[in-house]
């Protein structure tokens, strides 16, 4: 693959004082939408193109000045309109068999129905990791109390299961028994791992999992689950007879103040970069074929519709201890990177409620413009971005590559 290196490097530039060009606007805006084909609501049974500055990746970094020229009118006129995430209703074109489709259609208008589905073409033994949410919904039962719901799926939505519960039985025993019941109903083995994204439920979920010999993983990388919850909110919860409009989530997601980065996670240099979407897909594919740390996303499931030449923003981190750093990062459940303009820093989100000050820069109008442009490019791609770790910014290969998707908070 072609190496990543900072833009605008002149032959007489020292590596610690690399100058850079501005972040270009993507050649075409991204169109992203959750692919609902795999959601069964009610059945049963070219090259890399670096684009910004590189700076010392340390606790007191120096800013690297550069200019961000305004977009021309002609350039803006040629940009297709950005489409936001929208979660469509289930299409009649589904991967399930015709009898299941018919039954699903019969029950499609019943928002109180529960889901229990396993793709008949999927080997049950192959589903070893689940994504799980156990939380209240904006729905009241006959007692006027909020209904709770267990929602379970795998990252490909080959397995889908939901079950409602009254609020007076919410504990680890109920959850443990529900996990076992899900396996029995669908004829699948207990999973090896279960990911969940609510910190408030960590004690209950962890206890239930450990009693069953399952490894609990607190992680916001439950993207299939979060997008499914968004879809269920629009097509199920709002249509339920007990739905309470305007009801706030009982367990809102944490967004804690960012902490200082642990010493073992420091790199030496970083750079804002971007890759054509075609190259991003190549990097994702390479995770399966070569020994590289990182994580991918199911782009087909997410329904990501981006032109092959659209530039996806990312962050490149360079260090002489690239593999050890990538190995440490690999165990953190990396979720997203964001530019904090107010604090002139980059924030790394991992797990479910951990945020680190990943890097900082001197707050100038030039540096702020660069960070704003990077965030704008990320927004234009629907939140899609990446983190690449290399031995040096002149390296031809990555030792770690994480494809990331910064999603809006689920409405439930």
């Amino acid at each position: 693959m072609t190496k990543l290196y900072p833009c605008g490097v002149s032959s007489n530039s020292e590596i610690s004082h690399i100058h850079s060009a501005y972040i270009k606007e993507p050649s075409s805006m991204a169109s992203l939408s959750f692919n609902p084909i795999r959601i069964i609501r009610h059945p049963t049974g070219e090259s890399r193109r670096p684009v910004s500055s590189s700076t010392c990746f340390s606790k007191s970094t120096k800013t690297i000045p550069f200019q961000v020229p305004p977009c021309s009118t002609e350039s803006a006129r040629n940009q297709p309109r950005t489409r936001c995430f929208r979660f469509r209703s289930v299409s009649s074109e589904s991967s399930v068999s015709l009898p299941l489709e018919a039954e699903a259609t019969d029950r499609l208008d019943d928002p109180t129905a529960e889901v229990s589905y396993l793709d008949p073409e999927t080997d049950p033994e192959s589903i070893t990791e689940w994504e799980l949410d156990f939380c209240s919904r904006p729905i009241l039962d006959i007692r006027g109390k909020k209904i709770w719901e267990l929602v379970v799926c795998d990252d490909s939505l080959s397995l889908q299961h939901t079950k409602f519960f009254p609020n007076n039985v919410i504990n680890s025993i109920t959850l443990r028994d529900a996990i076992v019941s899900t396996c029995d109903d669908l004829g699948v083995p207990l999973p090896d791992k279960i990911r969940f994204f609510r910190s408030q439920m960590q004690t209950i979920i962890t206890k239930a999992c450990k009693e069953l010999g399952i490894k609990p993983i607190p992680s916001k990388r439950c993207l299939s689950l979060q997008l499914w919850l968004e879809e269920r909110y629009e097509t199920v919860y709002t249509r339920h007879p007990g739905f309470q409009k305007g009801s706030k989530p009982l367990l809102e997601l944490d967004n804690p103040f960012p902490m200082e980065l642990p010493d073992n996670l420091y790199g030496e240099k970083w750079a804002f970069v971007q890759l054509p979407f075609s190259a991003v897909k190549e990097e994702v594919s390479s995770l399966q074929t070569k020994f590289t740390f990182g994580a991918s996303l199911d782009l087909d499931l997410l329904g990501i519709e981006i032109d092959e030449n659209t530039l996806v923003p990312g962050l490149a981190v360079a260090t002489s201890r690239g593999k050890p750093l990538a190995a440490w990062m690999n165990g953190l459940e990396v979720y997203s990177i964001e530019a904090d303009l107010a604090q002139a820093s980059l924030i790394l989100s991992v797990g479910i409620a951990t945020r680190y000050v990943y890097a900082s820069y001197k707050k100038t109008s030039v540096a702020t413009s660069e960070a704003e442009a990077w965030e704008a490019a990320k927004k234009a791609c629907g939140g899609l971005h990446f983190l690449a770790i290399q031995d040096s910014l002149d390296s031809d290969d990555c030792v770690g590559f994480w494809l990331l998707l910064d999603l809006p908070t689920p409405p439930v």
Side-chain angles (χ1 to χ4, degrees):
M1 80 185 197
T2 307
K3 65 184 179 182
L4 272 168
Y5 56 90
C7 266
V9 180
S10 61
S11 59
N12 60 354
S13 294
E14 295 182 6
I15 191 66
S16 60
H17 298 281
I18 297 176
H19 297 278
S20 65
Y22 60 92
I23 295 181
K24 298 179 181 179
E25 293 293 327
S27 59
S28 60
M29 294 294 188
S31 172
L32 294 87
S33 60
F34 188 43
N35 185 349
I37 300 302
R38 299 299 299 279
I39 299 178
I40 313 302
R41 284 191 287 175
H42 307 306
T44 57
E46 216 180 44
S47 64
R48 297 172 177 265
R49 299 180 62 183
V51 296
S52 72
S53 66
S54 169
T55 186
C56 294
F57 193 51
S58 62
K59 299 180 182 180
S60 57
T61 59
K62 292 183 178 180
T63 184
I64 302 299
F66 72 109
Q67 295 183 348
V68 183
C71 296
S72 67
T73 304
E74 182 65 26
S75 174
R77 186 183 300 119
N78 292 332
Q79 298 296 336
R81 184 177 179 180
T82 302
R83 289 170 54 192
C84 300
F85 278 103
R86 296 298 300 169
F87 308 107
R88 304 181 295 272
S89 59
V90 175
S91 167
S92 60
E93 298 177 2
S94 175
S95 61
V96 299
S97 60
L98 289 178
L100 284 180
E101 283 184 354
E103 188 171 355
T105 301
D106 291 341
R107 305 179 63 193
L108 192 60
D109 292 329
D110 183 5
T112 66
E114 296 173 337
V115 175
S116 186
Y117 169 76
L118 178 66
D119 189 334
E121 297 182 358
T122 299
D123 178 7
E125 298 289 336
S126 69
I127 302 177
T128 59
E129 299 184 11
W130 288 7
E131 298 178 5
L132 179 151
D133 185 41
F134 192 36
C135 188
S136 67
R137 300 299 181 229
I139 300 170
L140 300 185
D141 59 18
I142 58 175
R143 301 173 301 135
K145 304 296 183 180
K146 277 191 174 182
I147 291 176
W148 281 60
E149 184 185 40
L150 171 65
V151 177
V152 171
C153 67
D154 69 326
D155 63 358
S156 68
L157 292 177
S158 297
L159 178 150
Q160 301 167 39
H161 185 85
T162 70
K163 186 173 179 60
F164 292 114
F165 293 89
N167 73 328
N168 57 359
V169 297
I170 305 306
N171 53 52
S172 62
I173 297 176
T174 296
L175 179 58
R176 180 199 63 193
D177 293 345
I179 292 173
V180 173
S181 178
T182 298
C183 293
D184 292 341
D185 291 345
L186 295 176
V188 299
L190 288 171
D192 297 330
K193 303 175 182 179
I194 287 183
R195 283 181 170 80
F196 61 95
F197 63 90
R198 295 188 198 273
S199 60
Q200 300 92 335
M201 295 302 296
Q202 186 160 358
T203 299
I204 288 178
I205 295 176
T206 297
K207 185 175 181 180
C209 287
K210 289 187 173 180
E211 289 183 4
L212 296 173
I214 300 170
K215 182 179 180 179
I217 302 179
S219 173
K220 284 187 178 179
R221 287 189 69 90
C222 302
L223 300 179
S224 295
L225 175 61
Q226 292 185 55
L227 289 170
W228 187 21
L229 287 175
E230 177 81 15
E231 194 271 348
R232 284 183 62 76
Y233 181 85
E234 297 291 342
T235 62
V236 178
Y237 307 147
T238 58
R239 297 174 55 247
H240 194 286
F243 176 69
Q244 297 296 298
K245 185 177 181 180
S247 176
K248 294 184 178 180
L250 177 63
L251 305 179
E252 296 191 62
L253 299 189
D254 291 334
N255 192 36
F257 190 78
M259 303 180 296
E260 183 177 344
L261 191 69
D263 290 341
N264 62 308
L265 298 182
Y266 275 105
E268 296 163 6
K269 296 188 179 296
W270 63 270
F272 282 133
V273 295
Q274 57 190 5
L275 282 173
F277 184 57
S278 58
V280 169
K281 292 193 295 184
E282 290 177 7
E283 289 296 333
V284 170
S285 298
S286 72
L287 291 174
Q288 310 298 325
T289 59
K290 65 180 183 179
F291 186 71
T292 302
F293 294 105
S296 62
L297 299 174
D298 190 331
L299 301 177
D300 292 333
L301 175 66
L302 296 175
I304 295 178
E305 301 172 1
I306 303 180
D307 183 87
E308 294 291 288
N309 297 319
T310 295
L311 299 175
V312 178
L315 187 75
V317 175
T319 175
S320 57
R321 43 186 285 275
K323 284 189 176 180
L325 175 58
W328 278 106
M329 294 289 291
N330 207 48
L332 292 181
E333 293 291 315
V334 180
Y335 175 67
S336 71
I337 297 171
E338 62 181 298
D340 186 332
L341 303 180
Q343 300 299 320
S345 59
L346 303 180
I347 306 302
L348 173 71
S349 295
V350 302
I352 53 176
T354 302
R355 302 171 75 230
Y356 293 120
V357 178
Y358 199 38
S360 59
Y361 53 88
K362 186 176 180 180
K363 192 173 184 180
T364 66
S365 58
V366 172
T368 298
S369 295
E370 180 185 17
E372 286 177 339
W374 189 80
E375 278 293 331
K378 188 172 72 171
K379 184 177 181 180
C381 286
L384 192 68
H385 58 299
F386 64 86
L387 169 65
I389 295 179
Q390 300 176 284
D391 292 322
S392 75
L393 292 178
D394 293 323
S395 175
D396 290 335
D397 295 299
C398 293
V399 294
F401 188 89
W402 287 262
L403 188 57
L404 310 173
L405 186 63
D406 195 354
L407 290 178
T409 301
V412 293

